Amino acid sequence: MAENPQAKILIVDDEAAQMKALCDTLQDQGYEPTGFVSAQAALGIMEKTKFDLLLTDLMMPEMNGITLLQAAKQKDPNLVGIIMTGEGTITTAVEAMKSGALDYILKPFKLKAILPVLERALAVRRLRLENAALERRVRERTAELESANKELEAFSYSVSHDLRAPLRHIDGFAELLANSAGSTLSEKDARYLNLIITSVNQMNRLIDDLLDFSRMGRAEMLRTQVDLQELLEKVIEGLQPETEGRNIVWKKGSLPLVQADPSLLRQVFTNLLSNAVKYTGPRDPAEIEIGCKVEPEETVIFVRDNGVGFDMQYADKLFGVFQRLHSKEDFEGTGIGLANVRRIIARHGGRTWAEAELDKGATFYFSLPR
């Protein structure tokens, strides 16, 4: 019996006896055959009924099998066609395959020869339908992502414009109040006013970091060869305002060339090294080591410091948005930097993780596929 008992087969042969015999045979094998001696009648039934397979004679007076198959595929592009032909027209049957037929079978028919051809054809039909469904889902998902991106852009604009406006007003009036009444304010009132200004600045930093985090997920990737050693030197040089006056020992290992987006990777190094500089603030000297381990499938880069470290039971929170393991009174920040690191490295196909011990420093790792 057939492996496709529900398969609908449209059979077209101008020899009525042969068409009926084939219908009866395939019905006995568990298929659902529908037979016609007229090609036009077969095309007409396709307006009402979906078929999985068209089995058509090649040489017919009204319309040859090639023309019928092409017309049928206009109605159903995923339809699979098989040509039936005699020994003397095999060359023409091959031409039919070039025109869209999947296979051909020879007359007179032998059941053991027909059934494997039908099964292969129906397998192709299933693949075509699955591919069509997949393409449809991809189009739908793409449309959803485009819509989500537009909503995100609208949200980013709202955050950037609508939220900043009242902050500018608060900041401006607080500054005016400080200038006009600063000398008359009590120590407590001056402290309150300073807290307002500090909070406004903190909110502005949060907005900037949120927008950066949003952009990181949508920024176009421009992969090229990146010299990590050169990139590291530029990042350290850019951190000079933060490191000036500090006793920092930089331990720089040999770093390789990698394939990555240079601007995004620079952001990764900037965030990790800035953290190392910040959390080694109480140390004299501060020690910050940058190195790498080349594995068979990935290159692992690490940034190690002798700073305040953290409790490993909270390590899973490190790379989340707004997740901080130290109070802002001790170490300023918004909790976005490591979230950006994870997002950037994930877009490169890599991993991020960390190891630490309280008051004994931390090591942050990220990998890039080789």
Side-chain angles (χ1 to χ4, degrees):
M1 295 295 287
E3 295 179 12
N4 302 275
Q6 302 303 315
K8 294 180 180 292
I9 300 179
L10 180 59
I11 300 172
V12 185
D13 193 325
D14 60 319
E15 295 182 25
Q18 192 159 252
M19 178 270 292
K20 186 176 185 310
L22 190 53
C23 284
D24 292 343
T25 300
L26 294 183
Q27 188 168 16
D28 290 342
Q29 294 298 314
Y31 293 101
E32 248 186 84
T34 301
F36 289 92
V37 293
S38 164
Q40 289 294 351
L43 288 173
I45 196 68
M46 286 189 68
E47 299 289 346
K48 304 174 184 177
T49 306
K50 276 274 187 184
F51 291 93
D52 299 297
L53 191 152
L54 171 63
L55 190 57
T56 176
D57 192 15
L58 178 59
M59 307 302 293
M60 297 184 293
E62 181 188 23
M63 181 188 299
N64 68 43
I66 295 175
T67 305
L68 171 59
L69 177 58
Q70 291 172 340
K73 287 178 74 68
Q74 289 291 320
K75 298 179 181 294
D76 182 358
N78 295 314
L79 184 70
V80 179
I82 296 177
I83 295 293
M84 299 183 289
T85 185
E87 291 280 0
T89 53
I90 291 180
T91 303
T92 313
V94 171
E95 290 300 317
M97 292 175 65
K98 293 178 182 178
S99 301
L102 180 72
D103 209 337
Y104 68 90
I105 55 178
L106 293 175
K107 298 178 180 179
F109 304 120
K110 292 181 181 178
L111 188 60
K112 66 179 182 180
I114 294 176
L115 293 181
V117 174
L118 295 183
E119 292 304 321
R120 284 197 302 271
L122 290 168
V124 169
R125 163 77 169 177
R126 285 195 299 273
L127 284 174
R128 288 179 180 176
L129 292 175
E130 288 168 4
N131 286 339
L134 179 60
E135 289 173 2
R136 184 174 62 253
R137 288 197 295 272
V138 168
R139 287 194 300 270
E140 291 170 354
R141 182 60 176 157
T142 301
E144 290 172 4
L145 288 173
E146 288 174 353
S147 176
N149 277 336
K150 288 178 181 177
E151 290 177 5
L152 189 57
E153 287 172 6
F155 172 74
S156 297
Y157 176 82
S158 177
V159 168
S160 180
H161 183 269
D162 297 344
L163 291 186
R164 285 190 197 277
L167 284 177
R168 284 195 296 269
H169 292 155
I170 295 170
D171 189 44
F173 284 120
E175 186 176 351
L176 288 173
L177 182 60
N179 291 335
S180 62
S183 58
T184 64
L185 293 174
S186 68
E187 183 178 342
K188 181 187 291 186
D189 291 339
R191 189 170 71 253
Y192 289 159
L193 184 58
N194 185 59
L195 284 173
I196 291 172
I197 295 171
T198 301
S199 296
V200 167
N201 291 334
Q202 174 76 359
M203 186 63 181
N204 271 318
R205 284 197 297 272
L206 277 171
I207 291 173
D208 288 338
D209 288 347
L210 265 178
L211 292 174
D212 285 343
F213 184 72
S214 170
R215 283 192 289 265
M216 286 300 174
R218 294 179 288 126
E220 184 180 355
M221 292 274 289
L222 300 173
R223 288 180 185 268
T224 186
Q225 184 169 270
V226 180
D227 185 335
L228 291 183
Q229 202 76 48
E230 182 181 339
L231 182 64
L232 173 64
E233 296 297 338
K234 289 180 180 178
V235 171
I236 292 176
E237 184 180 344
L239 292 174
Q240 189 172 357
E242 299 173 41
T243 60
E244 192 170 359
R246 292 276 307 278
N247 182 13
I248 298 178
V249 178
W250 295 98
K251 299 178 180 180
K252 295 174 281 188
S254 178
L255 300 180
L257 301 174
V258 297
Q259 286 292 322
D261 183 298
S263 62
L264 293 180
L265 212 52
R266 182 182 183 122
Q267 188 65 50
V268 168
F269 271 101
T270 298
N271 290 0
L272 291 179
L273 294 182
S274 292
N275 271 5
V277 169
K278 176 167 62 177
Y279 291 111
T280 56
R283 302 292 187 253
D284 187 11
E287 296 180 359
I288 301 174
E289 179 184 1
I290 305 95
C292 89
K293 296 183 288 186
V294 179
E295 306 287 350
E297 296 183 357
E298 61 183 3
T299 298
V300 178
I301 314 298
F302 65 86
V303 175
R304 181 176 292 126
D305 64 63
N306 65 337
V308 298
F310 59 85
D311 191 333
M312 280 297 289
Q313 69 175 311
Y314 304 115
D316 60 325
K317 294 184 177 181
L318 276 174
F319 296 94
V321 179
F322 298 141
Q323 296 293 335
R324 291 174 50 82
L325 303 187
H326 303 278
S327 69
K328 63 182 180 181
E329 287 77 17
D330 294 330
F331 299 97
E332 66 175 18
T334 58
I336 297 288
L338 290 177
N340 272 336
V341 168
R342 171 157 286 182
R343 173 169 279 197
I344 291 170
I345 296 304
R347 292 192 65 194
H348 281 81
R351 304 179 294 132
T352 47
W353 68 100
E355 298 171 354
E357 193 174 342
L358 271 176
D359 208 37
K360 292 186 179 180
T363 306
F364 287 85
Y365 300 88
F366 67 89
S367 69
L368 295 170
R370 294 189 65 187

